[in-house]
Amino acid sequence: DNGRLDKFPVFSGILPTRHKQLVLSRSNSLLDSPEPERRHLTIVKQDNETFGFDIQTYKMHTCIYKVHEDSPSHHAGLKMGDILANINGVDTKDYSHNQLVDLIKSSGNCLRVETVNGEVMKRNELEARLQILKQNLYEKRMELR
């Protein structure tokens, strides 16, 4: 019963059902939190060159797919896997891929980006999924008893 689930310690990896949504909401809120994994970069290019990175947009976010070697983005410290949270002061959360490309192109020679470390976000999402799977496994075991 749910009363028994509350007695399990958190470090066991078993979470009561009511905590599932909390875990999911935490994993999806990394972009909204002021974590130290956020970085603010300014990328400056010449008229005859590109910023030197490619992006890929997924359902929830847009990430840096490739940073070209010896490009302005490479020198500014942009990393493959970084997630774009903000471009020139604009929150990128609800922007489509094409809208982001247009926003980047309209930047002229100076692009200000705020990024979130993609590896940390991926790890947090995987940890949250693992907790949910452990909870589901525990519930199935309890059903079989």
Side-chain angles (χ1 to χ4, degrees):
D1 66 352
N2 285 340
R4 281 189 56 194
L5 289 176
D6 289 334
K7 295 177 186 173
F8 282 88
V10 174
F11 63 84
S12 72
I14 305 297
L15 294 175
T17 305
R18 69 177 188 275
H19 291 299
K20 283 183 185 178
Q21 191 57 43
L22 177 63
V23 171
L24 283 175
S25 66
R26 283 185 182 163
S27 70
N28 290 335
S29 66
L30 184 63
L31 290 175
D32 300 325
S33 64
E35 295 286 329
E37 298 297 334
R38 286 182 172 268
R39 295 185 310 139
H40 298 268
L41 304 172
T42 300
I43 305 167
V44 180
K45 70 175 189 74
Q46 300 298 317
D47 286 335
N48 61 342
E49 65 182 343
T50 66
F51 288 111
F53 67 93
D54 301 325
I55 60 174
Q56 190 163 8
T57 304
Y58 300 95
K59 293 178 187 175
M60 300 285 291
H61 53 268
T62 297
C63 70
I64 303 302
Y65 178 71
K66 181 178 181 179
V67 177
H68 302 273
E69 193 172 325
D70 204 33
S71 68
S73 296
H74 179 256
H75 294 295
L78 195 64
K79 293 183 170 76
M80 187 175 83
D82 281 352
I83 296 169
L84 289 176
N86 190 299
I87 297 175
N88 295 330
V90 177
D91 184 349
T92 61
K93 185 170 42 176
D94 295 324
Y95 275 62
S96 70
H97 181 85
N98 290 336
Q99 289 172 319
L100 290 173
V101 169
D102 290 343
L103 186 59
I104 293 166
K105 286 180 177 179
S106 70
S107 299
N109 290 343
C110 184
L111 178 67
R112 291 177 297 114
V113 296
E114 181 180 359
T115 64
V116 175
N117 184 323
E119 290 302 314
V120 170
M121 184 169 171
K122 186 176 182 178
R123 182 176 50 232
N124 287 348
E125 288 174 352
L126 290 173
E127 286 174 5
R129 288 181 190 169
L130 176 62
Q131 293 301 319
I132 292 169
L133 288 172
K134 285 181 177 181
Q135 175 63 28
N136 290 340
L137 177 62
Y138 176 78
E139 290 172 359
K140 294 296 181 188
R141 281 182 164 165
M142 295 306 286
E143 288 175 11
L144 293 173
R145 291 185 178 187

